[in-house]
Amino acid sequence: MVRVQPNTPISSDAPTRAAVRAAQRRRRSLLLLGVILVLVVAIAVVLGIFLTRGTGGEPEQEPASTSGCLPSSLRITADPALAGALEAIVADLPSSDADCPDVTIVAEDSAATAAALAAGSAPDFDVWVPDSAMWPARATGQAELTGVDAADLVVGATVASTPVVFAATAPTAAALESAGAGFSSLAGRAVAAVLPDPSTVAASSAALLALQTAVGGDARAFTALVLGLDTGVVPTAADALAAVSAATTPTVAVTTEQALRKYGQETQTPLVPVYPADVKPALSVPVVTLAEAPTDTLEAVEMLTAAIAGGGGHLAEFGLRAAAGTAPDATTDAAGTGAPAEPIDSANQAEALRTWQMLTAPSRMLSLNDVSGSMLQPATADMRRIDLFEQAAVRAVNSLSDDSSLATWVFSSRRIGGQDWQEVVPFGPLGDPAHKQRTIDTANGLDSLVGGGTGLYDSVLAAVQYMRDTYVPGQVHLVLLNTDGVNEDDEGLDLPELLAQLETLRDPAKPVAVIAIGYGPDTDQSALEQIAAATDGAAYQALQPTDIGTVLIDAVTQRGCRPNCG
């Protein structure tokens, strides 16, 4: 039966049953076709979503810029050794569209950039590419030491490297390689070495750290090496290489593989790299940014870093190795393997530089000498304590470089009214023959000043205070205290009061160390050790007469490694 909607008239030409069934079949076919079409569309959507997912099931991130532009302009400060390679790499970035953000590269010596940052100058870069990771460590360390509010640096990935080598003429190189020469050879004085100024050339500070390793960390041996190398220090790597070319005896220059290659290309000088057989330092080139850099700048830096990492061809073109350090071509080490050199710890390298600067800086030394009555006591069958000290003092004066300055004070008790100390020779340069002779004559005549008790503590405080008040930047400030007794001034400071005053005077930016030497068994060595510790100095004791000269010379020459000479 066919249901008809109410009030709908039945037409005389209404369809037959067969016609109705045919119409129903057509409607079902159309419905089925629609369902199929819907399913096809749904499957296509699902497949599209699946294909846009990464391997971890998350949608792929859209590229930072579909045009290949960096998301932000970049101001790059680069060491001159890196600037050329960076320019070539930046030129190869995906887009050269004039509408893309600008990338500017300024070449500046890494030492100059680090010094400006350490002094608190505002960075004028978004990215810093120094020739060694030592420089940002140096900048940060110097700022902390001097209390400067400096920029917060973030040291990123290493993007390039170059090994430290010895540059030599071909005959010298052949002899060194056959002997398996390394930094231990420099330590053993087997070959003369020319060192570019470590304060401006990172290869040299890396070499200093390698020398420390070669002598097993022995501070005294390292000090002797550094003082010996000081005469072979020249301003630049080019100066060092030129000195080797002109040398008439076997000589090497400490430099990098890249610097040697560049020098050879520019001068056509046939020097050969010798790859050290023991310690194999390499300079690691980092990308350095600022902690407060905005997100778009960091994204641009990330793209730049990736471009440098993939720019091995341009790095090799400018004599650099990739971050891994493996030689990119026929360049090999002494063993012929082309193996990578060893990255060095940037903080330790910066510390090696600081030690070198301390050791080689001019000394400003105040010699504070005990002339109390006990100094007239016999030390040997025919010599008094003061006689032995006079001889040792003359030797110490002669051990100091001409660019050092020296003053001589004496102390006993109530030398000038109630004051225990007295200046007998004011400060002057030892390079001045008249001042040096006056200092030596005074040392030889100290016995004429002997008398009274030992006014030790007040004299020490006065000497340290004077050195702080007259501090000269760039010099090593020392008070060389020589005494044979204990404090005998009951009206002056006691030891706790002296130590408290020394702590108040302590200033890492203006260090004044007390190097104390006690002569004989009657010395209050415990007090001397506490005084030395309060000033980051050192205390010695010479129990035998023959110890005095050795101890005094050692105290003078070990100034740069205090308080960790061992």
Side-chain angles (χ1 to χ4, degrees), residues 32 161 336 452:
L32 179 60
S161 66

Side-chain angles (χ1 to χ4, degrees), residues 5-396:
Q5 292 183 356
N7 302 321
T8 300
I10 298 175
S11 170
S12 60
D13 55 350
T16 65
R17 185 183 298 271
V20 171
R21 286 198 296 268
Q24 291 174 339
R25 285 196 297 271
R26 285 194 298 272
R27 284 195 297 270
R28 285 195 296 269
S29 297
L30 291 173
L31 180 61
L32 179 60
L33 179 60
V35 171
I36 291 172
L37 289 173
V38 171
L39 289 173
V40 169
V41 171
I43 291 171
V45 171
V46 171
L47 286 175
I49 293 173
F50 176 78
L51 292 174
T52 58
R53 290 183 181 272
T55 57
E58 295 296 327
E60 287 189 50
Q61 298 293 324
E62 292 187 4
S65 174
T66 57
S67 67
C69 292
L70 296 177
S72 173
S73 295
L74 287 180
R75 300 168 301 158
I76 302 173
T77 293
D79 189 272
L82 284 305
L86 286 177
E87 289 171 358
I89 290 168
V90 167
D92 283 351
L93 288 175
S95 176
S96 58
D97 191 335
D99 294 331
C100 286
D102 294 330
V103 177
T104 57
I105 300 175
V106 175
E108 182 176 74
D109 287 337
S110 298
T113 308
L117 292 169
S121 297
D124 56 359
F125 58 79
D126 301 307
V127 182
W128 178 27
V129 187
D131 67 345
S132 168
M134 186 273 293
W135 294 116
R138 165 81 171 167
T140 300
Q142 286 295 104
E144 291 176 351
L145 183 65
T146 56
V148 171
D149 185 13
D152 191 3
L153 304 176
V154 177
V155 180
T158 296
V159 293
S161 66
T162 184
V164 176
V165 301
F166 304 144
T169 60
T172 299
L176 292 174
E177 288 178 348
S178 65
F183 283 94
S184 56
S185 302
L186 299 187
R189 312 285 186 182
V191 62
V194 183
L195 196 70
D197 185 354
S199 64
T200 57
V201 180
S204 295
S205 55
L208 292 174
L209 183 57
L211 274 174
Q212 282 187 330
T213 303
V215 298
D218 186 319
R220 285 178 168 78
F222 178 68
T223 297
L225 281 173
V226 168
L227 294 177
L229 286 172
D230 189 33
T231 57
V233 174
V234 296
T236 68
D239 293 329
L241 294 168
V244 169
S245 299
T248 57
T249 57
T251 306
V252 300
V254 175
T255 187
T256 64
E257 181 183 81
Q258 183 204 29
L260 177 57
R261 175 178 170 178
K262 179 182 178 183
Y263 181 80
Q265 291 172 340
E266 293 177 347
T267 66
Q268 304 301 309
T269 302
L271 295 179
V272 179
V274 178
Y275 295 83
D278 46 11
V279 188
K280 303 176 184 290
L283 301 187
S284 298
V285 177
V287 172
V288 182
T289 56
L290 304 175
E292 69 274 13
T295 301
D296 58 347
T297 297
L298 295 179
E299 291 175 353
V301 171
E302 185 176 354
M303 292 179 66
L304 174 68
T305 301
I308 299 172
H314 287 308
L315 294 177
E317 178 186 350
F318 287 87
L320 293 161
R321 298 189 182 194
T326 304
D329 48 31
T331 302
T332 59
D333 61 12
T337 62
E342 302 165 0
I344 52 183
D345 183 89
S346 57
N348 287 340
Q349 186 181 349
E351 181 61 22
L353 172 58
R354 190 196 72 83
T355 300
W356 178 85
Q357 290 180 316
M358 288 285 290
L359 286 170
T360 57
S363 291
R364 188 167 184 266
M365 184 182 298
L366 193 159
S367 181
L368 182 62
N369 306 299
D370 186 349
V371 290
S372 60
S374 58
M375 290 293 285
L376 293 176
Q377 292 181 7
T380 67
D382 57 354
M383 296 190 75
R384 302 165 298 177
R385 292 177 182 176
I386 192 67
D387 298 326
L388 289 174
F389 171 70
E390 287 174 349
Q391 292 182 2
V394 172
R395 289 179 57 199

Side-chain angles (χ1 to χ4, degrees), residues 412-501:
S412 53
S413 59
R414 300 178 179 83
R415 296 200 63 85
I416 303 175
Q419 178 179 299
D420 295 336
W421 65 95
Q422 176 185 358
E423 178 186 79
V424 290
V425 181
F427 267 109
L430 291 179
D432 176 0
H435 179 75
K436 185 172 185 177
Q437 189 59 52
R438 181 182 177 187
T439 300
I440 290 173
D441 291 344
T442 299
N444 283 325
L446 287 176
D447 59 324
S448 65
L449 301 175
V450 172
T454 307
L456 176 62
Y457 297 155
D458 284 5
S459 299
V460 168
L461 180 61
V464 174
Q465 180 70 66
Y466 177 81
M467 294 292 279
R468 280 289 313 281
D469 291 344
T470 60
Y471 195 89
V472 179
Q475 298 189 13
V476 177
H477 289 64
L478 300 174
V479 173
L480 183 62
L481 170 63
N482 304 284
T483 183
D484 76 332
V486 299
N487 183 67
E488 296 173 334
D489 184 356
D490 295 334
E491 297 180 2
L493 297 170
D494 60 18
L495 182 59
E497 289 171 337
L498 170 62
L499 297 177
Q501 293 277 12

